[in-house]
Amino acid sequence: MKFTWRILLTVLITGVAVFYIACNKNNLNVPPPTPTEASYFSSEAAFRTAILGVYAVLNDYFSTSNSAGGSGSAELETFFLPGDDLTCQAEEPYEVFGNNLNSTQGKIQQIWASSYILINRANKVLDKIEKETGVYTTPNLKNWNKGEVLFLRGYAHFMLWNIFGTAPLDTTDFTSLEQLNPPNSSGTQLLDQAINDFSQAASLLPPSWDSVDIGRVTANGAYGMLGKALVFRATVNKSNDDYQAAIAAFNKISGASLVANFEDNFDVNHENNSESLFEYQAGPPIAGLGSTNAWLANDAVNIGVCSSFWQCFYNGPGTYMGGGLYTATHKFKNAFDAGDPRLPLTIDTSDNFILKYVLHGDVLEGAVNSLNNVRILRYADVLLLEAEALTQSGGDASQAIGLINEVRTRARNMIASGTEPANFDESETNKDTIIQWIMDERLRELGAEGGRWFDVRRWAMGGEITLDKSFFNSTWPSLTWDAHYLNFPIPSTEIDKNPNIKQNPGY
Amino acid sequence: MFKQKILLQKILFTLVINVAYFTVYAQQNQTFTGSIIDSTNQIGIPNVSVKVKSNSKIATLSDANGNFKITAPQGSVLVFSSVNYKTLELQTSNELSLKVVLAPSSSQLDEVVVIGYGTRKKRDLTGAYSTVDSKDITKSTAMTPELALQGQAPGVTVISGGGDPSARPTVYIRGVSSFNYSDPLYVIDGIPIEEGGRGATTDPTNDPTRRTPINLFTIINPNDIASMTVLKDATATAVYGVRGANGVILITTKSGKKGKVRVDVDALYGSSKIPKTYSFLNTQQYVKFITDAYNAHPDPDPIGGNLAIGDAPEFGPVWDPSSSKYLGNSPTYDWQNAIQNHDAKIQNYNARVSGASDNTNYNFSFGYANNDGPFLGVNQERYSISSNVNSKIGKYIQTGLNLRLIQEKTIDANIGGITNDLNIFQAAPWQPIYDNTNPYGYAPLWSLNQPITPGTFDVSPLWQSTLGPSAAMGNYLGLLATNSAPTTHQTFLGSGYVQLEPVTGLKIRGTLSGQDLMLVTNSFISFDSWQYGQTPNNPYSGVKNPISGQRYNKVGIDNSSTISLNKSLNVDYVHRFGNYNNIDVTLDASQEEWEWKTNGVSTFITSDDPDLRYFNATGNETGYTELNGDYVLIGYLGRISYNYNSKYYIDVLARRDGSSRFAEGHQWGTFPAASGAWRISQEKFMHDLKFINDLKIRGGYGVLGNEQTTAGWKYLSVESVNPPSYNLGNPNVNNLGAAFEVAPNPDITWEKKRSMNIGFDALLFNQTVTLTFDYYHNVTKGIIQSVNLTPSSGVQLPSDINIADVLNRGIEIQAGYKHSFGKVNFSVTGNISTVHNEVLSLVNHTALRGNTYSLEEGYPIGYLWGYKVGGIFQNQKEIDDWNKTHHDNLSTQQAPGDYYFQDLYGQPTPGSTAHNLTKDSIVDANDQTYLGKTIPSYTYGFTLSANYLGFDVSAFFYGVGDVQKYNDMRAEGESLTTNGRNQFTSVLNAWTPDNHSTTMPRAVWNDPNNNNRFSNRFIENAGYLRLQNLQIGYTVPQKWLEKTKAIHSFRLYLSGVNLFTITNYSGVDPVNDAYPSTRQFLIGANASF
């Protein structure tokens, strides 16, 4: 009898224990500690936050720290240094080209990676916007958000075309490993994509945003970039239609105007002004979080730093990442009329230091970064592009010259009864002369703003200009020029992994 | 069995009584017949030698059935001996028919080995196990259990973490079977130890990780360990299935033994230092060197010509010999000497009380250790207590409780990202160390601008213009004087069980166990420390509304805790039927849950008071992070072990495991294994081979699952833990964004390791020789790799993918020999293990390239990958000739004294990463190739020991062979291009027009030829043989101790650790260049009362 009880009790205990330990398979479903993509996009606020995540990749282009594509290093070098406006005190491959401009260069790898991070985030949000039902209740907001994301995706494609030329096209959300290893694009495919995105965005975006959202892209920004990209494509393809389409896009910009004071374009106190169509919003760290060391990506938190990197122009402690400052080439300095009011606001003629963005030393934060926004597209640029489009497409020459003069007039008027720069003769009809005026005016007006190389590159591709060593006016005798440098090398980080991609010729 | 014992005793008793009586009689011959049987199975034992003790010429052997016949003088003492049995002496009487029962000798074969869920005698093992017992562990004087394993267990590779007492060693068993995480599973008294965030110090998926670089296993006092068993093949490890794929190390702690209360006391005391330092340039040599290097590639003057070094922006006037501040006039400071702790002590004390009564055994231990690192400021202090009690309650119930509490305080060689190690040799030799005028006594790197006001921050023009921020080395001693970052660990391990034995042989055990690992790092960064840091950091940076003149110190706290709870139910039934059939059935079900949480916060405080370094001192929290990862495993196990007469063995088992780390549908895996053994020496036909005392042939095959290589939730797209942010609005406000930075892999599932093992265990030549041989062949299928996707995917963080198959195969031999020369007992034991590691396949056959390593089919994991040096150009003609047929894409300027690199391959065909064997005359990234492997082909260890009277001496050697290493330190010290940091004295032999070196290129600023690209220039053979431990001991004779009536045993010893290393490696230590293993001299004592 006792024996039976013992067995019975044992079986009972064992049974209960087995049931308790092993039969609850739901125990394996442990929820993750952060929201999942599947559950996240359930409110307008969530979309807003995710879209800010797309904008945030602009930090990689214009800020020094926490680059998602690399770390702790501004990518500015890759588009500021080539071209004929700037020279660096250190011998940088982006300026002197040559063998050091190769696929292992970290900055090339970073700007490549960052561009695709931006595109990937944009594609994901775009996919969610298109699939959502019933989340958006605010009128028009869905369109506006879609427009923003398209614009940002277009901008990244625009950058990729200008830097690499043949980088892969990427327009779908990355959801499967099957999508890995895309092949190169060719021709102007990247630019075509940018134009499509800008064009769609322009039709969706609002003319302006509420004060809390200032800095988000507007319809004007999209039309401006659309026109710019069309002019770029037209320069290469010689397409009259593109020039016409560009003019049409520029004409849809409404309410933008040149600010009276040229300096306002680089002044932290006059950000997002009427001339500015799209800018990178640098700013202070998140309140309460303090700032982290801008030099390091491995700080305790990598949020809180959203500032642009202007140490490349600023003679502060230390030089640019152990390299040198960017200074104006003699060509850039000499491009100005002596009395051009823009000159003292652009270049310190005694030492060739660049003054744009750093004229007021007080904007530097931590002696490294700046709270000053980067003006990515301003109306002066649009006016000059439109002048170019008009001239190239056989439009009204005097109208085109008038647009150049609009830019010059603003400069001249900064000094009461100023005489320089004088207006160009509006009766000029020689196309080459007008184009040369435009090219030179673009250098004077827009030099050292990070767009010069893209201009030089497209003009060279379109046969407008011929590049040689002397064109760049570098202080470095080691500068070597060859046409293959028009496209930078596909980074080794991509080449080593992606068997379907081909290196650009010459590398 | 019990009856036979009584019978034997009866016989003996009778015989002894009769001795006195019979010896009186005159000696006559008598003929004795009888049978000799095995006490365990009552089978006749053949070949037993039967001799007359007084006249060994009278001798015979038992026949195949164990029967014998011998004629001996009346009253003789007969000696029965056989290698596998205890020798028995028998006083004969008039009883002429004898039944002799021999008990098996207690050879190594009777040692009880702890296996997964149970114990087994060594003779009955069918899988691959290695064991290390407490004697060897204590002898190693190592402070952590893994280091005690180094070289002792074949198949186990232990790579020391260096001289820091709390550094993590790297441990892997039978090669590296996975890319990310190859650590074995540690099980302490049945509790699997798992540390949250393990796998990497920086977890790319959850950066920043809160796992400290401190070794978890410093929590275990090796003196508490009774044995360590390493489970290596599928049958052995499958019982821990889920987490056993990388092998399992079972640590069993000591428990009480029957007898009187016993008190053991161990003490160890000694000193520790690094054996070698680097030879660096003095100030004069350094200044000349850098000036020459600059002149070889000077900066161009914008006006034309070149700038003199004194005018170059990155140098400045202090390099101008005509300057009054010329650096060449500065003294030389020896930083390597200054940062060492020349008085580093090692102390380790333990006390243990143990005992057992009929129903209860107990063991209590207390330990204290205090170890200095070889560099200043590094220390580890540990208190440990443990208690192990097992008790029988009534007839059917047994219960036990095992508790362990460890409190440890660790200060590692790292403050604020600066590490105190031999990298300091790179400090410019003129960089002063001490400064009497500085409040802390150390030389600041940056000029003082006191009081510092927010927004102003002066960097010393001298430092800045001379070296730039990246060239100076932080003054670690100054940082040490101002900052602190001790880590406190508190670890609690506990397990309790209740075991029912309702029927003899059936045991049902329910176990509840858990661990709680707590880590707290309290950091304090003094405002004043800014002057010693190597980057110019405004101490006010980030302070909200700083008040002028107000000092802001930063305090931070980082917590990490891992809490686990394991429930298991184990049913074990042992039964014997027929005469020879033994069966053991085990069923087990378990659920293990882990909760891992880390959080960190920092703030600024104005107080300098060391007692007020906590949060609410001022309360201005600046950053908070929290991470967590929970994790659950459920597993079922069934195992049937059968043996026939301890001759034929078969083990069959199956597991079914579920892991929360995979998506539903991929969570469960089934993993079978089987093994068998044949003790061939038990066969009659083997009995003629007398030199074989025991021989067992084993073999097994099984599949193991592994999911430790994935951090969890990789099947889901989750929001990034580090949100991006962007400014918007007027006024500008920084807004948090959101990003999904991982490409989820919903199909991710178990890695499956197919493990095959064949081997034998032999006991030879009168048990003087032991030999174990194993061949293993493991293929891990579907290894989970964290893969950084192609950048064009735009996916930022790596995805976990079942990506590759990897082979590890090799042999393991363990051998021992012992012999006595008179009173000198001598023994040698050794082992050698080989690993052939090879990546068998990768997704799409595409190689994965890292910066300096590569994963590629047909090559070992993580092999070194880079350029191959061709030679050094000796003159311009050689350069011109070379350039006729080649072009180096990575070079901007070639001059005599520069390297040329080999053109090995052409551009790969699109779609492939395979080398194109057609050379293209261009030296570029495609010419990177195999340069060496980082997994040693073989590791070995051997111990020579001898004792004479009370003296014992043992020497333990450890070595690894056929392994290559990139000598990072030499790559810095012989870079010949230096950003201002110091170089090895070997650069004095650099190529110059007068010194046509063929091994050391020219010194040149900025390295225009890229001589420093990752190449075989700095790859060296890193094999070595080290005298790891030499120990001389003296055990006080028992008879002296008996007089004390208190001391039971006493041994005193001297030990030298890491006394010499034979290696071709040029660095200070083939294992760790910056933080070499220390040389230690220790004195110790073991006493028991």
Side-chain angles (χ1 to χ4, degrees), chain A residues 45-340:
Chain A
F47 276 102
R48 181 182 192 273
T49 311
I51 289 166
L52 282 165
V54 188
Y55 277 103
V57 193
L58 296 173
N59 292 328
D60 288 3
Y61 289 135
F62 300 108
S63 174
T64 176
S65 62
N66 303 318
S67 159
S71 66
S73 187
E75 293 164 6
L76 300 175
E77 265 179 294
T78 52
F79 53 101
F80 270 64
L81 271 185
D84 55 347
D85 53 344
L86 294 172
T87 182
C88 182
Q89 286 179 353
E91 190 178 5
E92 295 285 348
Y94 309 96
E95 179 182 353
V96 303
F97 307 106
N99 287 342
N100 272 0
L101 183 69
N102 58 47
S103 63
T104 62
Q105 280 292 339
K107 303 285 164 67
I108 285 180
Q109 297 174 353
Q110 285 166 22
I111 198 159
W112 175 280
S114 293
S115 299
Y116 283 104
I117 287 168
L118 197 162
I119 292 169
N120 185 41
R121 289 188 189 175
N123 282 337
K124 189 169 294 294
V125 178
L126 197 59
D127 181 65
K128 297 294 183 230
I129 290 176
E130 278 165 358
K131 286 182 182 154
E132 75 78 32
T133 47
V135 173
Y136 281 100
T137 53
T138 308
N140 296 325
L141 184 59
K142 184 172 174 174
N143 279 343
W144 297 351
N145 282 350
K146 189 176 170 185
E148 284 181 282
V149 176
L150 283 164
F151 174 86
L152 290 166
R153 184 175 79 178
Y155 180 67
H157 279 100
F158 179 76
M159 292 295 275
L160 285 171
W161 183 79
N162 277 292
I163 293 167
F164 299 101
T166 68
L169 202 61
D170 180 6
T171 55
T172 47
D173 184 19
F174 189 93
T175 52
S176 156
L177 300 174
E178 306 287 311
Q179 290 163 260
L180 277 176
N181 305 335
N184 301 69
S185 63
S186 62
T188 57
Q189 278 184 333
L190 290 166
L191 211 44
D192 300 346
Q193 185 58 45
I195 289 164
N196 285 343
D197 285 345
F198 290 144
S199 169
Q200 261 201 77
S203 66
L204 295 166
L205 283 165
S208 66
W209 293 88
D210 283 350
S211 64
V212 290
D213 281 336
I214 284 176
R216 300 175 82 159
V217 64
T218 60
N220 275 356
Y223 283 122
M225 282 307 297
L226 172 62
K228 184 166 186 167
L230 283 163
V231 171
F232 273 46
R233 187 166 72 183
T235 314
V236 178
N237 287 354
K238 307 285 177 200
S239 156
N240 225 28
D241 288 351
D242 278 352
Y243 282 125
Q244 301 291 353
I247 294 164
F250 290 139
N251 287 338
K252 288 200 175 160
I253 295 171
S254 67
S257 62
L258 298 181
V259 291
N261 186 353
F262 174 73
E263 190 189 347
D264 287 355
N265 288 310
F266 317 105
D267 186 341
V268 70
N269 299 310
H270 295 89
E271 293 169 339
N272 302 308
N273 58 35
S274 63
E275 182 170 341
S276 180
L277 299 180
F278 183 56
E279 36 188 88
Y280 163 68
Q281 305 291 314
I286 288 180
L289 286 177
S291 92
T292 46
N293 183 340
W295 297 83
L296 301 171
N298 58 355
D299 279 337
V301 286
N302 70 356
I303 49 176
V305 180
C306 284
S307 46
S308 51
F309 182 74
W310 287 120
Q311 208 197 24
C312 46
F313 290 171
Y314 177 67
N315 188 25
T319 48
Y320 173 60
M321 297 292 174
L325 294 179
Y326 299 178
T327 58
T329 59
H330 291 277
K331 179 179 181 178
F332 184 21
K333 187 164 69 171
N334 295 336
F336 291 91
D337 296 316
D340 192 328

Side-chain angles (χ1 to χ4, degrees), chain B residues 392-429:
Chain B
K392 243 187 145 167
I393 304 166
K395 229 171 156 182
Y396 310 111
I397 302 172
Q398 188 181 328
T399 177
L401 192 59
N402 192 333
L403 301 171
R404 181 168 297 275
L405 175 69
I406 297 97
Q407 181 108 17
E408 183 177 281
K409 197 168 195 178
T410 302
I411 306 169
D412 67 357
N414 189 310
I415 291 180
I418 299 181
T419 305
N420 193 21
D421 61 26
L422 288 182
N423 269 306
I424 199 71
F425 90 84
Q426 297 179 65

